[in-house]
Amino acid sequence: MEQKVKEIIQHYHGDKSYLVPILQDVQKEFNYLPKDALCAVSTQLSVPISRVYEVVTFYKAFSLKPKGRYQLSLCMGTACHVRGAELIAGNIESILGIKEGETTEDLEFSFETVGCLGACALGPVLVVNGEYHGHMNIAKSTKILKKLGKKGATDDDQD
Amino acid sequence: MTTKIKSFDELKSIQERLKAGRDPKKPCITICVGTGCLAYGTQKLVDNFRAELAKRNLTEKIGFRTTGCHGFCERGPMVVIAPDKIFYQRVGLEDAAEIIDKTLLKGEIIERLLYVDPATGQKVTREDDVPFYKKQTRLVFGLNSKVDPESLDDYLAIGGYTALGKALTGMKPEAIIQEVIKANLRGRGGGGFPAGWKWDSTRKAQGDPKYVICNADEGDPGAYMDRSLLEGNPHLVLEGMIIGAFAIGSSQGYIYARNEYPLAIKNITLAIEQARQAGLLGENILGTGFNFDVKINRGGGAFVCGESSALFASLEGRAGEPRAKYIHATDKGLYDKPTNLNNVETWANVPFIIDRGADWYASIGTAGSKGTKIFSLVGKINNTGLVEVPMGTKLREIVFDIGGGIPGGKKFKAIQTGGPSGGCIPEQYLDMGVDFDELTKIGSMMGSGGMIVMDEDNCMVDVARYFTNFLVSESCGKCVPCREGVRRMRDILADITEGKGQEGDVELLEKMAAAIIDGSLCALGNSAPNPVLSTIRYFRDEYEAHIKHKRCPAGVCKALILYSIDPEKCTGCTLCSKVCPTGAAAGERKKAHAIDKALCTKCGACRESCKFDAIIVR
């Protein structure tokens, strides 16, 4: 882990002002920000761990907990909201049995709502591991979860 | 381009050579690969075109260009074929071969890919005749469809970097600033502060080095014009920044971009690299002795970082908390040095002002707001997309002529401008010309140019709650009135939408709003109550229906509505009973169904599935 962090920091020439992008790259590498990685960043950049922690907890993009195998992000931008994204969020939460921002215990699914993705023509938009699914509705979201192997997601193949 | 361009004259001759090498009559396929169109799976269509052209040995004869966003996102994937500018929309990913064989080789038009004007029912063949484009003035954004964002040659061939050459070789820094002041270019990021005055203050400030920053932390939900500019025409933004840096006397620039915009970051990174290699960036730019370079920094996903002092904190690698601005950023900004911050669209306007002059620029727009503005027209609108119009264009023209009106024959209710801190504008102001001052007058603001259209099915109290909720999670927490006050407002709004509203709530909200505006440091807190205030101002009856009559007139707020089935309309198709997760919707085949209100969770699945509009929500 320390070696990996070292490589990332070297890419930014050890410049402290790049703390946010460095942490983004670390998160990309490990899928979340493990404590040991944060300590390594702190030591190698000579930034106090309290400062690193402050930054990590300030910005929304960072997660201190591991994320699921399937990461679902539902756009909650205004355009998606007025097109009924909230009902879709309710459906996903009830099927997965978790709230927005949480991960299922088996580490299969993470569900989060995000600000605008800028694909408003497709709204509401659900992103599954980086893949966009547009014109989302309740039935389609059920279908996607079923396809990903979530038990209890029933649908009647209506689209 | 691998050798450095050493002078303005050399740049001009390269532009001429590139222009001469391009036959405007040569057939060329242009395809939009902006983020919006890529989300439709357009990359596959691009691959298919390349493969089919190669298969037919046509790669020399027929040009092929991938470009950034054209703006008409609703109709992607989009293909435009030069020289006649034939416009194909909603192109299937497997349509490449047919387009090449029929349209390019035989000159036939493929009818099914043409746009149908819903107003007349007529098919439109040429891009320029599509009403969505026809009524726009695509000064800045129109260049997107002319260049491949990965090609510096493309940008040079349309005269790119001429303004830079002109500024560096023929103008004194003070003269450039005067030109920008004369053009009255106002900041497109939200504040609307005159860019020229800001440049002037930064130039005159004591301190070294001076920084220029491009704010590409476009956080307003429903706004994506900055991303589309940065991703579709990165050299234009860069050229504006270099001119600004020369005028201000800066040698170091930053672009602060949202991490959620990977394609924009990729394209601007490439553009910076190309500009450096071509001698347009870095040391001794165009052989004039002027040095300037740009670094890119990615944000961490915090709305408040669009605020200047929070953005500086984030650039320095700290949590993005704003500070009091007794001292302006132009005196002490990034690392406490004089700093000039403008957003993407503002920088993109600069080359036009220098190239064509302030008088020409100031001839567009209204008395107080010059030039054009790019709006992102989204929500309940037929033609979702990015729209560029002169300042002062009427809202009605934008919504109905360009946007094509509201889908499904629904009634227009409001248009929200200015992002989460903006306001909702009702129908009575549709004939107002949109500019910085007019929007402020009616309790909204320009913001970065988001326009979210709402129809009769949208509840304005719910919308106010939505925006306030957004701001609760985005408040950095430094000022108590913003941190606690906005949260409390959200709670009151939530109560109202849940049927727990009380007499006096509206007045309390208004009182709290005044205190939050007074007691917050930065623009986030100052404007956080706007969505609440503007909805109270124009839609007070909806608040009262929720509070006094425990009703949600739009049928949105779950606690105040009931689902039922219209037995007249229900055909007994059983679809609703299949999708209902709780078994509340039930009935016999071919007989009218009913909803058991005790079991109903109001999830909306039945209403979405019903093909006969038989589900009543009231």
Side-chain angles (χ1 to χ4, degrees), chain A residues 5 9 16 18-20 22-24 26 33-59 62 64, chain B residues 317-319:
Chain A
V5 170
I9 288 175
K16 282 179 203 180
Y18 282 103
L19 180 60
V20 175
I22 286 169
L23 290 168
Q24 276 162 348
V26 172
L33 291 169
K35 189 179 168 191
D36 292 347
L38 292 183
C39 292
V41 169
S42 162
T43 320
Q44 293 180 26
L45 267 187
S46 305
V47 173
I49 186 75
S50 57
R51 269 278 306 284
V52 175
Y53 190 74
E54 181 199 12
V55 165
V56 168
T57 50
F58 183 85
Y59 294 102
F62 297 122
L64 291 166
Chain B
R318 294 183 286 123

mmCIF file of all heavy atoms in Angstrom, chain A residues 5 9 16 18-20 22-24 26 33-59 62 64, chain B residues 317-319:
data_model
loop_
_atom_site.group_PDB
_atom_site.id
_atom_site.type_symbol
_atom_site.label_atom_id
_atom_site.label_comp_id
_atom_site.label_asym_id
_atom_site.label_seq_id
_atom_site.Cartn_x
_atom_site.Cartn_y
_atom_site.Cartn_z
ATOM 1 N N VAL A 5 0.965 4.346 -2.796
ATOM 2 C CA VAL A 5 0.772 5.756 -2.430
ATOM 3 C C VAL A 5 1.977 6.574 -2.890
ATOM 4 O O VAL A 5 1.847 7.675 -3.422
ATOM 5 C CB VAL A 5 0.546 5.895 -0.902
ATOM 6 C CG1 VAL A 5 0.586 7.365 -0.486
ATOM 7 C CG2 VAL A 5 -0.783 5.279 -0.504
ATOM 8 N N ILE A 9 1.967 9.858 -5.296
ATOM 9 C CA ILE A 9 2.500 11.148 -4.852
ATOM 10 C C ILE A 9 3.621 11.624 -5.784
ATOM 11 O O ILE A 9 3.719 12.806 -6.120
ATOM 12 C CB ILE A 9 2.967 11.060 -3.385
ATOM 13 C CG1 ILE A 9 1.726 10.975 -2.478
ATOM 14 C CG2 ILE A 9 3.821 12.259 -2.996
ATOM 15 C CD1 ILE A 9 2.015 10.775 -1.017
ATOM 16 N N LYS A 16 2.218 19.446 -2.133
ATOM 17 C CA LYS A 16 1.144 19.381 -1.138
ATOM 18 C C LYS A 16 -0.178 19.950 -1.641
ATOM 19 O O LYS A 16 -1.235 19.544 -1.201
ATOM 20 C CB LYS A 16 1.541 20.188 0.115
ATOM 21 C CG LYS A 16 2.495 19.482 1.023
ATOM 22 C CD LYS A 16 2.807 20.392 2.200
ATOM 23 C CE LYS A 16 4.144 19.969 2.792
ATOM 24 N NZ LYS A 16 4.523 20.778 3.935
ATOM 25 N N TYR A 18 -1.569 19.480 -4.212
ATOM 26 C CA TYR A 18 -2.332 18.480 -4.960
ATOM 27 C C TYR A 18 -2.958 17.426 -4.056
ATOM 28 O O TYR A 18 -3.286 16.327 -4.503
ATOM 29 C CB TYR A 18 -1.466 17.820 -6.043
ATOM 30 C CG TYR A 18 -1.300 18.678 -7.265
ATOM 31 C CD1 TYR A 18 -0.127 19.377 -7.504
ATOM 32 C CD2 TYR A 18 -2.342 18.819 -8.178
ATOM 33 C CE1 TYR A 18 0.015 20.188 -8.622
ATOM 34 C CE2 TYR A 18 -2.211 19.624 -9.296
ATOM 35 C CZ TYR A 18 -1.033 20.301 -9.518
ATOM 36 O OH TYR A 18 -0.912 21.098 -10.623
ATOM 37 N N LEU A 19 -3.122 17.757 -2.771
ATOM 38 C CA LEU A 19 -3.660 16.783 -1.828
ATOM 39 C C LEU A 19 -4.994 16.176 -2.295
ATOM 40 O O LEU A 19 -5.185 14.964 -2.240
ATOM 41 C CB LEU A 19 -3.832 17.443 -0.446
ATOM 42 C CG LEU A 19 -4.383 16.544 0.661
ATOM 43 C CD1 LEU A 19 -3.484 15.345 0.907
ATOM 44 C CD2 LEU A 19 -4.547 17.329 1.973
ATOM 45 N N VAL A 20 -5.907 17.042 -2.789
ATOM 46 C CA VAL A 20 -7.217 16.530 -3.203
ATOM 47 C C VAL A 20 -7.092 15.540 -4.376
ATOM 48 O O VAL A 20 -7.581 14.407 -4.292
ATOM 49 C CB VAL A 20 -8.190 17.692 -3.504
ATOM 50 C CG1 VAL A 20 -9.518 17.170 -4.041
ATOM 51 C CG2 VAL A 20 -8.432 18.523 -2.245
ATOM 52 N N ILE A 22 -4.512 13.841 -5.250
ATOM 53 C CA ILE A 22 -3.762 12.662 -4.792
ATOM 54 C C ILE A 22 -4.722 11.689 -4.090
ATOM 55 O O ILE A 22 -4.732 10.490 -4.370
ATOM 56 C CB ILE A 22 -2.614 13.080 -3.836
ATOM 57 C CG1 ILE A 22 -1.475 13.733 -4.641
ATOM 58 C CG2 ILE A 22 -2.082 11.874 -3.044
ATOM 59 C CD1 ILE A 22 -0.408 14.416 -3.796
ATOM 60 N N LEU A 23 -5.556 12.248 -3.211
ATOM 61 C CA LEU A 23 -6.504 11.392 -2.500
ATOM 62 C C LEU A 23 -7.512 10.763 -3.469
ATOM 63 O O LEU A 23 -7.928 9.618 -3.298
ATOM 64 C CB LEU A 23 -7.234 12.198 -1.422
ATOM 65 C CG LEU A 23 -6.364 12.606 -0.222
ATOM 66 C CD1 LEU A 23 -7.080 13.642 0.641
ATOM 67 C CD2 LEU A 23 -5.995 11.394 0.626
ATOM 68 N N GLN A 24 -7.871 11.516 -4.513
ATOM 69 C CA GLN A 24 -8.778 10.951 -5.511
ATOM 70 C C GLN A 24 -8.147 9.737 -6.190
ATOM 71 O O GLN A 24 -8.795 8.709 -6.398
ATOM 72 C CB GLN A 24 -9.133 11.999 -6.575
ATOM 73 C CG GLN A 24 -10.274 12.901 -6.148
ATOM 74 C CD GLN A 24 -10.331 14.183 -6.963
ATOM 75 O OE1 GLN A 24 -9.409 14.516 -7.691
ATOM 76 N NE2 GLN A 24 -11.429 14.894 -6.823
ATOM 77 N N VAL A 26 -5.759 7.863 -4.939
ATOM 78 C CA VAL A 26 -5.642 6.778 -3.953
ATOM 79 C C VAL A 26 -6.977 6.047 -3.834
ATOM 80 O O VAL A 26 -7.039 4.813 -3.824
ATOM 81 C CB VAL A 26 -5.204 7.339 -2.570
ATOM 82 C CG1 VAL A 26 -5.277 6.250 -1.501
ATOM 83 C CG2 VAL A 26 -3.803 7.915 -2.639
ATOM 84 N N LEU A 33 -10.901 4.917 0.851
ATOM 85 C CA LEU A 33 -9.674 5.421 1.457
ATOM 86 C C LEU A 33 -9.373 4.672 2.754
ATOM 87 O O LEU A 33 -9.882 5.029 3.817
ATOM 88 C CB LEU A 33 -9.801 6.929 1.733
ATOM 89 C CG LEU A 33 -9.837 7.829 0.497
ATOM 90 C CD1 LEU A 33 -10.222 9.254 0.875
ATOM 91 C CD2 LEU A 33 -8.508 7.821 -0.246
ATOM 92 N N PRO A 34 -8.559 3.623 2.676
ATOM 93 C CA PRO A 34 -8.221 2.874 3.887
ATOM 94 C C PRO A 34 -7.363 3.741 4.818
ATOM 95 O O PRO A 34 -6.634 4.620 4.363
ATOM 96 C CB PRO A 34 -7.394 1.690 3.372
ATOM 97 C CG PRO A 34 -7.446 1.745 1.901
ATOM 98 C CD PRO A 34 -7.850 3.117 1.495
ATOM 99 N N LYS A 35 -7.487 3.473 6.101
ATOM 100 C CA LYS A 35 -6.776 4.264 7.105
ATOM 101 C C LYS A 35 -5.261 4.268 6.835
ATOM 102 O O LYS A 35 -4.609 5.309 6.901
ATOM 103 C CB LYS A 35 -7.073 3.669 8.490
ATOM 104 C CG LYS A 35 -6.567 4.524 9.626
ATOM 105 C CD LYS A 35 -6.929 3.883 10.963
ATOM 106 C CE LYS A 35 -6.171 4.571 12.084
ATOM 107 N NZ LYS A 35 -6.284 3.824 13.341
ATOM 108 N N ASP A 36 -4.722 3.090 6.518
ATOM 109 C CA ASP A 36 -3.274 2.992 6.307
ATOM 110 C C ASP A 36 -2.816 3.879 5.143
ATOM 111 O O ASP A 36 -1.736 4.467 5.171
ATOM 112 C CB ASP A 36 -2.864 1.536 6.028
ATOM 113 C CG ASP A 36 -3.051 0.675 7.270
ATOM 114 O OD1 ASP A 36 -3.245 1.260 8.356
ATOM 115 O OD2 ASP A 36 -3.031 -0.567 7.151
ATOM 116 N N ALA A 37 -3.679 3.945 4.120
ATOM 117 C CA ALA A 37 -3.319 4.772 2.968
ATOM 118 C C ALA A 37 -3.295 6.247 3.357
ATOM 119 O O ALA A 37 -2.410 6.998 2.939
ATOM 120 C CB ALA A 37 -4.311 4.545 1.827
ATOM 121 N N LEU A 38 -4.273 6.655 4.180
ATOM 122 C CA LEU A 38 -4.309 8.047 4.629
ATOM 123 C C LEU A 38 -3.063 8.378 5.448
ATOM 124 O O LEU A 38 -2.471 9.445 5.303
ATOM 125 C CB LEU A 38 -5.573 8.314 5.454
ATOM 126 C CG LEU A 38 -6.899 8.265 4.706
ATOM 127 C CD1 LEU A 38 -8.057 8.609 5.638
ATOM 128 C CD2 LEU A 38 -6.890 9.228 3.527
ATOM 129 N N CYS A 39 -2.661 7.424 6.313
ATOM 130 C CA CYS A 39 -1.463 7.638 7.121
ATOM 131 C C CYS A 39 -0.237 7.750 6.217
ATOM 132 O O CYS A 39 0.646 8.593 6.442
ATOM 133 C CB CYS A 39 -1.274 6.491 8.116
ATOM 134 S SG CYS A 39 -2.552 6.488 9.384
ATOM 135 N N ALA A 40 -0.212 6.915 5.168
ATOM 136 C CA ALA A 40 0.925 6.959 4.250
ATOM 137 C C ALA A 40 0.976 8.306 3.525
ATOM 138 O O ALA A 40 2.045 8.909 3.370
ATOM 139 C CB ALA A 40 0.824 5.810 3.243
ATOM 140 N N VAL A 41 -0.187 8.794 3.103
ATOM 141 C CA VAL A 41 -0.238 10.099 2.432
ATOM 142 C C VAL A 41 0.282 11.175 3.380
ATOM 143 O O VAL A 41 1.098 12.025 3.009
ATOM 144 C CB VAL A 41 -1.685 10.433 1.977
ATOM 145 C CG1 VAL A 41 -1.785 11.891 1.519
ATOM 146 C CG2 VAL A 41 -2.125 9.516 0.850
ATOM 147 N N SER A 42 -0.212 11.110 4.625
ATOM 148 C CA SER A 42 0.177 12.104 5.626
ATOM 149 C C SER A 42 1.693 12.129 5.824
ATOM 150 O O SER A 42 2.327 13.182 5.775
ATOM 151 C CB SER A 42 -0.549 11.796 6.938
ATOM 152 O OG SER A 42 0.071 12.448 8.007
ATOM 153 N N THR A 43 2.286 10.948 6.029
ATOM 154 C CA THR A 43 3.720 10.868 6.285
ATOM 155 C C THR A 43 4.517 11.329 5.067
ATOM 156 O O THR A 43 5.441 12.140 5.174
ATOM 157 C CB THR A 43 4.125 9.414 6.615
ATOM 158 O OG1 THR A 43 3.114 8.848 7.432
ATOM 159 C CG2 THR A 43 5.462 9.340 7.312
ATOM 160 N N GLN A 44 4.139 10.796 3.908
ATOM 161 C CA GLN A 44 4.955 11.051 2.727
ATOM 162 C C GLN A 44 4.849 12.500 2.229
ATOM 163 O O GLN A 44 5.769 13.024 1.629
ATOM 164 C CB GLN A 44 4.576 10.080 1.611
ATOM 165 C CG GLN A 44 4.946 8.635 1.973
ATOM 166 C CD GLN A 44 4.573 7.671 0.860
ATOM 167 O OE1 GLN A 44 4.499 8.041 -0.294
ATOM 168 N NE2 GLN A 44 4.336 6.415 1.230
ATOM 169 N N LEU A 45 3.672 13.126 2.459
ATOM 170 C CA LEU A 45 3.508 14.505 2.010
ATOM 171 C C LEU A 45 3.873 15.514 3.090
ATOM 172 O O LEU A 45 3.872 16.721 2.842
ATOM 173 C CB LEU A 45 2.045 14.764 1.605
ATOM 174 C CG LEU A 45 1.599 14.601 0.155
ATOM 175 C CD1 LEU A 45 0.174 15.092 0.025
ATOM 176 C CD2 LEU A 45 2.481 15.321 -0.832
ATOM 177 N N SER A 46 4.135 14.975 4.311
ATOM 178 C CA SER A 46 4.356 15.831 5.480
ATOM 179 C C SER A 46 3.181 16.773 5.728
ATOM 180 O O SER A 46 3.351 17.977 5.953
ATOM 181 C CB SER A 46 5.639 16.665 5.359
ATOM 182 O OG SER A 46 6.719 15.833 5.119
ATOM 183 N N VAL A 47 1.995 16.222 5.620
ATOM 184 C CA VAL A 47 0.782 16.968 5.973
ATOM 185 C C VAL A 47 0.206 16.255 7.190
ATOM 186 O O VAL A 47 0.074 15.034 7.170
ATOM 187 C CB VAL A 47 -0.245 16.928 4.811
ATOM 188 C CG1 VAL A 47 -1.567 17.554 5.230
ATOM 189 C CG2 VAL A 47 0.306 17.637 3.593
ATOM 190 N N PRO A 48 -0.129 16.998 8.261
ATOM 191 C CA PRO A 48 -0.655 16.316 9.452
ATOM 192 C C PRO A 48 -1.884 15.465 9.121
ATOM 193 O O PRO A 48 -2.687 15.858 8.279
ATOM 194 C CB PRO A 48 -1.047 17.477 10.376
ATOM 195 C CG PRO A 48 -0.384 18.682 9.845
ATOM 196 C CD PRO A 48 -0.075 18.446 8.420
ATOM 197 N N ILE A 49 -2.017 14.337 9.781
ATOM 198 C CA ILE A 49 -3.131 13.426 9.510
ATOM 199 C C ILE A 49 -4.461 14.123 9.781
ATOM 200 O O ILE A 49 -5.469 13.853 9.136
ATOM 201 C CB ILE A 49 -2.982 12.112 10.318
ATOM 202 C CG1 ILE A 49 -4.069 11.091 9.924
ATOM 203 C CG2 ILE A 49 -3.050 12.351 11.819
ATOM 204 C CD1 ILE A 49 -3.857 10.430 8.603
ATOM 205 N N SER A 50 -4.463 15.082 10.728
ATOM 206 C CA SER A 50 -5.707 15.811 11.024
ATOM 207 C C SER A 50 -6.155 16.623 9.806
ATOM 208 O O SER A 50 -7.333 16.705 9.494
ATOM 209 C CB SER A 50 -5.510 16.736 12.228
ATOM 210 O OG SER A 50 -4.439 17.617 11.985
ATOM 211 N N ARG A 51 -5.181 17.208 9.103
ATOM 212 C CA ARG A 51 -5.506 17.972 7.900
ATOM 213 C C ARG A 51 -6.039 17.049 6.806
ATOM 214 O O ARG A 51 -7.014 17.364 6.115
ATOM 215 C CB ARG A 51 -4.259 18.700 7.385
ATOM 216 C CG ARG A 51 -4.078 20.097 7.922
ATOM 217 C CD ARG A 51 -4.927 21.129 7.144
ATOM 218 N NE ARG A 51 -4.679 21.095 5.703
ATOM 219 C CZ ARG A 51 -3.607 21.613 5.122
ATOM 220 N NH1 ARG A 51 -2.688 22.228 5.841
ATOM 221 N NH2 ARG A 51 -3.458 21.545 3.826
ATOM 222 N N VAL A 52 -5.383 15.891 6.653
ATOM 223 C CA VAL A 52 -5.825 14.923 5.649
ATOM 224 C C VAL A 52 -7.259 14.502 5.960
ATOM 225 O O VAL A 52 -8.127 14.466 5.077
ATOM 226 C CB VAL A 52 -4.894 13.683 5.627
ATOM 227 C CG1 VAL A 52 -5.422 12.629 4.663
ATOM 228 C CG2 VAL A 52 -3.484 14.092 5.251
ATOM 229 N N TYR A 53 -7.512 14.240 7.246
ATOM 230 C CA TYR A 53 -8.847 13.797 7.661
ATOM 231 C C TYR A 53 -9.883 14.893 7.420
ATOM 232 O O TYR A 53 -10.999 14.624 6.982
ATOM 233 C CB TYR A 53 -8.812 13.398 9.148
ATOM 234 C CG TYR A 53 -10.071 12.714 9.620
ATOM 235 C CD1 TYR A 53 -10.342 11.386 9.250
ATOM 236 C CD2 TYR A 53 -10.982 13.379 10.423
ATOM 237 C CE1 TYR A 53 -11.508 10.760 9.671
ATOM 238 C CE2 TYR A 53 -12.150 12.766 10.847
ATOM 239 C CZ TYR A 53 -12.411 11.449 10.475
ATOM 240 O OH TYR A 53 -13.557 10.831 10.888
ATOM 241 N N GLU A 54 -9.480 16.132 7.689
ATOM 242 C CA GLU A 54 -10.383 17.265 7.463
ATOM 243 C C GLU A 54 -10.802 17.324 5.992
ATOM 244 O O GLU A 54 -11.985 17.459 5.664
ATOM 245 C CB GLU A 54 -9.673 18.583 7.859
ATOM 246 C CG GLU A 54 -10.545 19.815 7.682
ATOM 247 C CD GLU A 54 -9.747 21.121 7.618
ATOM 248 O OE1 GLU A 54 -8.510 21.062 7.478
ATOM 249 O OE2 GLU A 54 -10.367 22.183 7.690
ATOM 250 N N VAL A 55 -9.810 17.190 5.117
ATOM 251 C CA VAL A 55 -10.086 17.262 3.688
ATOM 252 C C VAL A 55 -10.970 16.092 3.245
ATOM 253 O O VAL A 55 -11.947 16.252 2.512
ATOM 254 C CB VAL A 55 -8.758 17.301 2.891
ATOM 255 C CG1 VAL A 55 -8.985 17.018 1.411
ATOM 256 C CG2 VAL A 55 -8.080 18.653 3.079
ATOM 257 N N VAL A 56 -10.642 14.902 3.749
ATOM 258 C CA VAL A 56 -11.374 13.697 3.342
ATOM 259 C C VAL A 56 -12.841 13.775 3.761
ATOM 260 O O VAL A 56 -13.739 13.353 3.031
ATOM 261 C CB VAL A 56 -10.703 12.448 3.953
ATOM 262 C CG1 VAL A 56 -11.585 11.236 3.801
ATOM 263 C CG2 VAL A 56 -9.364 12.205 3.293
ATOM 264 N N THR A 57 -13.074 14.332 4.949
ATOM 265 C CA THR A 57 -14.463 14.381 5.419
ATOM 266 C C THR A 57 -15.208 15.594 4.881
ATOM 267 O O THR A 57 -16.417 15.666 4.950
ATOM 268 C CB THR A 57 -14.535 14.400 6.958
ATOM 269 O OG1 THR A 57 -13.648 15.421 7.441
ATOM 270 C CG2 THR A 57 -14.135 13.062 7.539
ATOM 271 N N PHE A 58 -14.473 16.552 4.315
ATOM 272 C CA PHE A 58 -15.129 17.749 3.772
ATOM 273 C C PHE A 58 -15.724 17.474 2.396
ATOM 274 O O PHE A 58 -16.857 17.831 2.111
ATOM 275 C CB PHE A 58 -14.134 18.908 3.683
ATOM 276 C CG PHE A 58 -14.755 20.195 3.190
ATOM 277 C CD1 PHE A 58 -15.391 21.047 4.074
ATOM 278 C CD2 PHE A 58 -14.718 20.529 1.841
ATOM 279 C CE1 PHE A 58 -15.980 22.227 3.624
ATOM 280 C CE2 PHE A 58 -15.307 21.705 1.386
ATOM 281 C CZ PHE A 58 -15.940 22.553 2.280
ATOM 282 N N TYR A 59 -14.936 16.833 1.541
ATOM 283 C CA TYR A 59 -15.374 16.660 0.160
ATOM 284 C C TYR A 59 -16.191 15.388 0.008
ATOM 285 O O TYR A 59 -15.827 14.323 0.504
ATOM 286 C CB TYR A 59 -14.180 16.632 -0.789
ATOM 287 C CG TYR A 59 -13.455 17.949 -0.834
ATOM 288 C CD1 TYR A 59 -12.258 18.134 -0.147
ATOM 289 C CD2 TYR A 59 -13.979 19.011 -1.545
ATOM 290 C CE1 TYR A 59 -11.600 19.352 -0.188
ATOM 291 C CE2 TYR A 59 -13.324 20.231 -1.586
ATOM 292 C CZ TYR A 59 -12.135 20.396 -0.914
ATOM 293 O OH TYR A 59 -11.494 21.594 -0.942
ATOM 294 N N PHE A 62 -15.100 11.637 -1.354
ATOM 295 C CA PHE A 62 -14.281 10.661 -0.624
ATOM 296 C C PHE A 62 -15.112 9.726 0.257
ATOM 297 O O PHE A 62 -16.106 10.131 0.854
ATOM 298 C CB PHE A 62 -13.250 11.381 0.235
ATOM 299 C CG PHE A 62 -12.275 12.184 -0.582
ATOM 300 C CD1 PHE A 62 -12.123 13.541 -0.382
ATOM 301 C CD2 PHE A 62 -11.530 11.570 -1.583
ATOM 302 C CE1 PHE A 62 -11.237 14.282 -1.148
ATOM 303 C CE2 PHE A 62 -10.645 12.300 -2.351
ATOM 304 C CZ PHE A 62 -10.497 13.655 -2.135
ATOM 305 N N LEU A 64 -14.675 6.770 3.352
ATOM 306 C CA LEU A 64 -13.799 6.084 4.305
ATOM 307 C C LEU A 64 -14.208 4.630 4.485
ATOM 308 O O LEU A 64 -13.569 3.881 5.215
ATOM 309 C CB LEU A 64 -13.829 6.816 5.654
ATOM 310 C CG LEU A 64 -13.162 8.199 5.637
ATOM 311 C CD1 LEU A 64 -13.528 8.999 6.870
ATOM 312 C CD2 LEU A 64 -11.646 8.067 5.529
ATOM 313 N N GLY B 317 -5.032 22.820 -1.431
ATOM 314 C CA GLY B 317 -5.035 21.487 -0.827
ATOM 315 C C GLY B 317 -5.712 21.442 0.529
ATOM 316 O O GLY B 317 -5.434 20.581 1.347
ATOM 317 N N ARG B 318 -6.598 22.411 0.792
ATOM 318 C CA ARG B 318 -7.300 22.420 2.072
ATOM 319 C C ARG B 318 -8.799 22.226 1.852
ATOM 320 O O ARG B 318 -9.275 22.204 0.727
ATOM 321 C CB ARG B 318 -7.052 23.769 2.770
ATOM 322 C CG ARG B 318 -5.597 23.976 3.173
ATOM 323 C CD ARG B 318 -5.398 25.271 3.905
ATOM 324 N NE ARG B 318 -5.459 26.431 3.029
ATOM 325 C CZ ARG B 318 -6.302 27.444 3.189
ATOM 326 N NH1 ARG B 318 -7.173 27.417 4.179
ATOM 327 N NH2 ARG B 318 -6.290 28.459 2.371
ATOM 328 N N ALA B 319 -9.531 22.109 2.975
ATOM 329 C CA ALA B 319 -10.980 22.042 2.885
ATOM 330 C C ALA B 319 -11.492 23.359 2.333
ATOM 331 O O ALA B 319 -10.974 24.420 2.680
ATOM 332 C CB ALA B 319 -11.577 21.775 4.264
#
